[in-house]
Amino acid sequence: MPGHFEPLPGGGAAVALDDVEISIIRSLAVQLLELIGPGPSADTPEDPLAELFAEGPSEPPSDPVLKRLFPDAYRDPESEPDSPLEAEERRQHSAEFRRFTENDLRAGKRENALAVIRSLDALGSPGDGNVVLELDPGEVRRWLGALNDLRLAISTRLDITGEDDTDVLYGLPDDDPRKPLVMAYLWLGGLQETLVTTLMP
């Protein structure tokens, strides 16, 4: 179990983590939360109808990581627009889509990151050994969402766009300042992959 998730009888998954691993995942999840931004303030009136029709931003975020987490819906990297008119139409459609979906997307990503933090906080400190984190099926999906977002964020900071970039990063010397982030990226990928396998019949 150390270093990878295993399925639990009846659904869910478990992994053994040590103090350092817990600290790394928690710190990254907190940073992701800070990047995504806060939710509605405590004094916001609880009006489900108003919340349903609340409009979000219409322009893409300026931060590259947020652009990756909240991409334009009508942008096709494989197909450039045929004319300035088509480009403007795509921009308008993307803005409209973003205005009515980004708030919900942010809320979902925020909840996933919070679920990770809460489940880690509930473990307490394992001291010098490992402690077993057990996730129910709902928590598994939250963790998968958060792990995916964390890897997207890290890959954007590392300028990873394809397999060739990943291969180069494998060979970085230990004194390269990117090395800790690369190691976190690869480790989270392993966790994510084994967590996915726990959902397979």
Side-chain angles (χ1 to χ4, degrees), residues 84-96:
L85 179 60
E86 184 181 346
E88 177 58 21
E89 285 178 350
R90 283 192 192 181
R91 190 197 68 76
Q92 290 180 2
H93 289 316
S94 290
E96 188 79 0

Side-chain angles (χ1 to χ4, degrees), residues 3-189:
H4 62 272
F5 279 96
E6 293 182 358
L8 290 174
V15 64
L17 299 170
D18 63 28
D19 233 348
V20 174
E21 292 167 331
I22 292 170
S23 176
I24 290 171
I25 299 173
R26 192 185 189 287
S27 174
L28 290 171
V30 168
Q31 291 176 56
L32 181 63
L33 267 181
E34 291 171 349
L35 186 64
I36 292 171
S41 61
D43 57 356
T44 301
E46 292 186 13
D47 183 349
L49 190 61
E51 187 175 333
L52 180 65
F53 291 101
E55 294 185 8
S58 58
E59 294 300 319
S62 58
D63 185 285
V65 172
L66 290 176
K67 275 186 181 178
R68 187 87 181 270
L69 293 175
F70 306 103
D72 278 334
Y74 291 87
R75 184 180 66 84
D76 183 357
E78 303 296 326
S79 169
E80 290 297 320
D82 294 329
S83 66
L85 179 60
E86 184 181 346
E88 177 58 21
E89 285 178 350
R90 283 192 192 181
R91 190 197 68 76
Q92 290 180 2
H93 289 316
S94 290
E96 188 79 0
F97 186 82
R98 182 180 297 279
R99 202 163 73 239
F100 292 107
T101 60
E102 186 167 315
N103 282 349
D104 285 343
L105 289 173
R106 282 183 183 256
K109 292 180 185 299
R110 193 181 298 115
E111 281 303 312
N112 290 342
L114 280 170
V116 168
I117 293 168
R118 288 172 183 143
S119 57
L120 292 175
D121 286 351
L123 289 176
S125 174
D128 294 332
N130 291 336
V131 64
V132 176
L133 169 70
E134 294 189 356
L135 305 176
D136 64 36
E139 290 171 323
V140 167
R141 283 167 175 77
R142 292 278 191 203
W143 266 73
L144 277 175
L147 288 173
N148 186 63
D149 288 343
L150 287 172
R151 295 191 79 238
L152 281 175
I154 293 172
S155 67
T156 303
R157 295 290 190 232
L158 292 171
D159 291 324
I160 297 174
T161 56
E163 284 299 321
D164 291 342
D165 296 326
T166 306
D167 292 340
V168 170
L169 292 172
Y170 269 110
L172 287 178
D174 289 341
D175 60 353
D176 190 295
R178 295 171 294 173
K179 189 75 171 187
L181 208 51
V182 170
M183 297 306 293
Y185 175 77
L186 297 174
W187 175 57
L188 291 175

